[in-house]
Amino acid sequence: MTTLTDTRAPRPALIRALTAPKGFGDQTLRDRRPDAIELLGGIPDPSVLPSREIAEATARVLAQPGAPALQYSRTEGIPALREWIAAREGVPVERVVITNGGFHGLALAVQTVLERGDLVAVDNPIFPLFLRGLELSDARILPIGVGRTGIDVDDLADRLRAGERPAALYTVPDFHNPSQSTLPTDQRRELVRLAEQYGFVVFADNPYRELRFRGEQESVEPFHDSDLVWHVNTFTKTLGPGLRLGWVVLPAHAVPDVVALRSRQDGHSSTFVQAVIAELLTSDPLLFDATLERARALYRERADALADGLEAEAPGAFEIDRPDGGLFLWPRLRDDGVDAARLAADASAEGVEYQQGAFFASGPGTDAERRLRLAYGDTSAEQLREAAHRIGQALRRQRV
């Protein structure tokens, strides 16, 4: 009897340790259910993306003599795009590095800053995919609570005084994912002060900052004024996730390290995509802000439609903080007798898919398991009202 030999190469320990996310992340990108309203991911609506203008910019870029956009470029990014970002951020251009989207910026931060096994303070609840990125450094995590005004800087200070010594801290300061809270400017200054006192690096992940549709913007100056902050942003939520284009404002001293790291990885972001977006942004200085204004008005309408729908279809069932920006609602179930996991299953049966709040906890001490994360970016107000009706139906299944 012949025994077949497994001829596959052995998998390295790092790869063996990686697991697919359970209940979060990849399901956002799966094939959509034709019978369901999916409120899963922070996806921008196609109607507010400047697709026609991008097509026109692409034609102009390809018409340039010698087609320079089809050639190699510098690791830091092409000058025209870096200069536009630097002017908008109010920083020297030398501190801007172009990335393949926001998550790439975070991966570069993790790989540049952390030693294997380092302690990293993180949001609790958290954007779960950052924890996936931390697996590459075998990091340990120190969960810090997030409330209505962002990460709890006072709690962090208490933990530091008690002897905790993180190498870095990760937070989403504007329209936090999932809670949609925003860290006030004075608390940003205090966070930076703590970083400088205790010697840790801040990873400020800010993909939703431009999507404020109510209230006044908080300042990013505290982040830009420190040599211990990596401020990560992206065009994903404003111009389109398929571009895979973002940037990091990082301390000047860290730029050579990032260049050295990328010279051993991807080299640089797509010259072609960079050139198209630089042409788009510089040929019409008003276009980006006009695009944002359309998006903000649309997302405000949708956030309110979803909140109004839940309050009408399930009166008193949810505590709802209406967001001032971003792409999510984070309602909390008031009735502890309602099984949140069963509600998600019943909602799916009714034809609504959403992310369960329990997926977002990075440690104990939150009420995330009592919450729903509902994404409204690419769903019409009419569909959002229907989704609220179906969630109400699912809730009534447990109250029969």
Side-chain angles (χ1 to χ4, degrees), residues 100-307:
N100 303 323
F103 194 78
H104 183 219
L106 294 173
L108 289 171
V110 165
Q111 292 176 307
T112 304
V113 171
L114 299 181
E115 298 282 1
R116 293 194 66 78
D118 270 349
L119 181 67
V120 180
V122 300
D123 289 337
N124 186 26
I126 192 172
F127 168 55
L129 296 192
F130 179 72
L131 297 180
R132 186 197 294 189
L134 278 185
E135 292 176 3
L136 298 177
S137 68
D138 199 26
R140 297 169 295 122
I141 65 168
L142 175 66
I144 304 294
V146 173
R148 284 189 166 95
T149 56
I151 193 167
D152 189 338
V153 178
D154 291 338
D155 179 38
L156 172 66
D158 289 342
R159 306 293 289 275
L160 293 168
R161 283 192 290 266
E164 298 285 8
R165 290 296 179 267
L169 175 141
Y170 168 82
T171 191
V172 179
D174 287 273
F175 311 118
H176 176 266
N177 183 4
S179 76
Q180 295 300 277
S181 60
T182 293
L183 189 65
T185 300
D186 63 335
Q187 291 296 285
R188 297 175 190 221
R189 292 194 182 99
E190 178 62 10
L191 175 60
V192 170
R193 190 194 69 77
L194 291 172
E196 292 172 348
Q197 178 180 348
Y198 290 96
F200 60 87
V201 177
V202 175
F203 302 151
D205 183 15
N206 228 355
Y208 307 101
R209 174 173 171 77
E210 286 79 10
L211 299 183
R212 174 175 285 279
F213 46 69
R214 274 189 280 258
E216 296 297 321
Q217 196 77 282
E218 300 291 345
S219 175
V220 294
E221 286 184 11
F223 298 146
H224 291 165
D225 289 346
S226 174
D227 283 340
L228 287 172
V229 179
W230 292 51
H231 189 213
V232 180
N233 209 325
T234 178
F235 291 112
T236 290
K237 310 302 181 184
T238 55
L239 298 181
L243 295 169
R244 309 312 306 135
L245 195 64
W247 68 92
V248 183
V249 176
L250 66 165
H253 67 79
V255 174
D257 294 336
V258 170
V259 170
L261 177 63
R262 291 192 75 179
S263 71
R264 290 156 175 83
Q265 295 180 342
D266 65 333
H268 60 77
S269 300
S270 165
T271 309
F272 175 64
V273 175
Q274 290 186 71
V276 168
I277 298 308
E279 171 66 20
L280 175 80
L281 297 173
T282 59
S283 63
D284 181 356
L286 302 179
L287 181 139
F288 191 63
D289 286 318
T291 299
L292 293 180
E293 285 304 310
R294 290 193 300 272
R296 291 164 182 157
L298 183 68
Y299 299 145
R300 176 175 179 166
E301 174 196 3
R302 291 180 175 180
D304 288 341
L306 183 54

Side-chain angles (χ1 to χ4, degrees), residues 1-24:
M1 182 176 179
T2 303
T3 301
L4 296 178
T5 302
D6 189 344
T7 58
R8 294 175 296 183
R11 298 164 70 220
L14 173 63
I15 300 302
R16 293 198 304 272
L18 301 181
T19 58
K22 296 179 179 179
F24 181 85

Side-chain angles (χ1 to χ4, degrees), residues 318 333 338-348 354 372 391 394-395 398:
F318 295 102
L333 284 161
V338 173
D339 184 320
R342 179 184 164 186
L343 177 63
D346 287 344
S348 179
Y354 60 81
L372 294 62
I391 291 171
L395 196 58
Q398 292 193 50

